[in-house]
Amino acid sequence: MGRVTVRRPVRRISATGERRRPDSLAAEEPLEIRVDGKALAVTMRTPGHDVELAHGFLLSEGVLGSREDVAAARYCDGVDDQGRNTYNVLDVTLAPGVAPPETGVERNFYTTSSCGVCGKAALDAVKLKSRFSPAESTFEVKTDVLVELPDTLRDKQKVFKSTGGLHAAALFTPDGELEVVREDVGRHNAVDKVLGWALQAGRIPAPGLGLLVSGRASFELVQKAAMAGIGILAAVSAPSSLAVELAEENGMTLIGFLRGDSMNLYTGDQRVLA
C-alpha cells in the first residue's frame, strides 16, 4: 500500500552554510472512489484509512447515513507499470435499498488536496441538506477544555512532526478526550476520515462529539460536520464568511482562532461555557 511519507534528498541552505541531507515528505497520491462500480470522484490524499475516507466522503455527500448502508468496500483495478496493485481505486458497494448518488453529485474532474467542492458538477449540489439536525445537539464544553485541544491534537500528529506537511482533524468529547485523530494532505480528507471512522463505529449521528480541525474552517468543513449531526466545529485558524453563514443556518457552534488561551465564537455560543 502507498506510503505515508517519502524520503527525498534536499540541499539545505541556512545562514550558517549549506549541506545535503534526506528530508521526509508527506505522501500524496490519487484515490478514485467508486460506488457500485461507477466512478464518483478522485481525490488527492495521503494513503491510509482509505475506507474511512470513502465512508466519510459518502456521508458528507448525503449517500450514507449509517454503516448498514454499505455492503462492502474493496480495492480494485489500479495497477502500476509492473502490474502491482496501487491501492488507489476503492469501490464501495451499497447495501440493497440504498439509493446511489444523485445526478449532479459526481465530480467534474477531481478534488485537489486543498479543495473538496471545487470539482462539483453542479453548484446546486454544493449546499446539501443533512438528514441529521446539528441544531438538536446538546453538546456543551468549557473554555478551559477547548484551549487545551490544539496542543493535544498536535501531540498526536505523528506524521506532521516528521514532515510538517499535513492537516489534522479529530472528534472530541465534552471533557476534551480525542476519540479519533486523522492526518492528511487535504483538510477535507482528514475530516472525511474521522467521520468515516464514526460511521463505521455506529456513532453517526454524532451530537455528542465536536469536530476539531488544525487549519481554517471552510464552508465545506462546516457542511461535513452538519451532515454528521455534529453541533460544534472548532478551528485553529480563521473561518470563511460562508462557513459562518452555514453554521448559523444549521444551528451550529463555530469557533475560530482557537489558539493559546483565546478563541473567537462566531455562532452558537450557548454550547461554550465559561
Side-chain angles (χ1 to χ4, degrees), residues 56-226:
F57 174 80
L58 293 174
L59 167 68
S60 64
E61 295 289 349
V63 179
L64 304 180
S66 72
R67 59 185 176 185
E68 287 76 21
D69 290 341
V70 175
R74 63 183 182 87
Y75 290 102
C76 59
D77 279 1
V79 295
D80 60 18
D81 54 7
Q82 298 181 22
R84 297 173 299 190
N85 198 323
T86 61
Y87 296 97
N88 285 339
V89 181
L90 187 71
D91 191 12
V92 177
T93 302
L94 301 179
V98 177
E102 297 178 2
T103 301
V105 171
E106 293 86 354
R107 303 288 169 140
N108 255 346
F109 184 40
Y110 67 91
T111 64
T112 69
S113 56
S114 60
C115 177
V117 298
C118 50
K120 285 283 191 180
L123 290 178
D124 291 342
V126 169
K127 206 167 186 179
L128 303 174
K129 182 174 176 61
S130 175
R131 67 183 80 185
F132 312 117
S133 174
E136 297 177 2
S137 169
T138 58
F139 188 104
E140 292 181 336
V141 61
K142 294 181 179 180
T143 54
D144 58 352
V145 171
L146 284 169
V147 296
E148 297 293 332
L149 291 177
D151 287 341
T152 304
L153 178 62
R154 179 63 64 87
D155 288 342
K156 294 182 179 295
Q157 291 182 249
K158 296 179 180 179
V159 183
F160 179 85
K161 290 177 182 178
S162 63
T163 66
L166 290 180
H167 296 281
L171 295 176
F172 64 93
T173 64
D175 61 2
E177 180 182 353
L178 300 188
E179 295 280 273
V180 60
V181 176
R182 294 290 182 261
E183 296 179 275
D184 200 277
V185 288
R187 59 174 58 88
H188 57 95
N189 289 334
V191 171
D192 280 341
K193 288 178 178 180
V194 298
L195 295 185
W197 173 89
L199 187 74
Q200 289 186 297
R203 301 183 65 176
I204 295 295
L209 295 173
L211 175 61
L212 172 68
V213 295
S214 63
R216 63 184 178 86
S218 65
F219 164 87
E220 185 186 20
L221 299 193
V222 173
Q223 177 177 285
K224 287 179 181 294

Side-chain angles (χ1 to χ4, degrees), residues 216-253:
R216 63 184 178 86
S218 65
F219 164 87
E220 185 186 20
L221 299 193
V222 173
Q223 177 177 285
K224 287 179 181 294
M227 295 299 284
I230 292 174
I232 183 168
L233 169 59
V236 172
S237 191
S240 68
S241 62
L242 196 56
V244 174
E245 291 175 17
L246 187 64
E248 187 171 49
E249 180 182 315
N250 281 276
M252 296 172 60
T253 297

Side-chain angles (χ1 to χ4, degrees), residues 251-264:
M252 296 172 60
T253 297
L254 181 59
I255 300 169
F257 293 106
L258 180 58
R259 303 172 183 173
D261 59 358
S262 65
M263 69 196 76
N264 288 350

